[in-house]
Amino acid sequence: MNIIHIGYVDVPIIEADLNEEGLFGSFEFHPQPEIHIDSSLPPRYKAATALHEILEAISAIYGLDLSEAQIRTLEATLAGIAVRQPDAVLGWLKLLGED
């Protein structure tokens, strides 16, 4: 289990068997924020699903009320940037930690 910090909220990311629900992932805000990712997904799909659910969490926590289409668009474009330009993304992330 990993924990992602979204603003003031700590959100655990839990891998679980979601086959019965027919889901790749889910985000629940109440009673406790949690992201669930289907443990049987291939690594690339786990990562994309985690990104999707993190965007869902950001939308819920900050009251953005993003539509599913908006979240899917952000997920696909951000994942595409990371896959096609990993060195650039890592460089940008490194700059975030600098003064």
Side-chain angles (χ1 to χ4, degrees):
M1 174 176 67
N2 293 311
I3 295 178
I4 188 150
H5 309 286
I6 300 174
Y8 63 90
V9 181
D10 295 339
V11 182
I13 300 178
I14 303 162
E15 288 193 36
D17 181 1
L18 301 180
N19 284 331
E20 283 188 29
E21 291 88 0
L23 300 172
F24 283 5
S26 67
F27 167 70
E28 298 295 328
F29 192 58
H30 185 76
Q32 177 177 330
E34 288 184 341
I35 290 173
H36 292 94
I37 306 294
D38 186 3
S39 57
S40 68
L41 292 173
R44 179 176 276 189
Y45 289 95
K46 278 184 189 177
T49 300
L51 178 57
H52 180 97
E53 299 307 331
I54 289 166
L55 292 167
E56 293 269 9
I58 291 168
S59 179
I61 291 166
Y62 288 102
L64 299 177
D65 203 24
L66 296 174
S67 70
E68 185 67 16
Q70 290 170 318
I71 289 172
R72 285 183 186 206
T73 300
L74 289 169
E75 168 206 335
T77 55
L78 291 171
I81 291 168
V83 167
R84 289 179 184 87
Q85 301 171 74
D87 292 337
V89 172
L90 289 173
W92 299 328
L93 291 173
K94 182 179 176 189
L95 290 175
L96 289 172
E98 293 183 6
D99 290 337

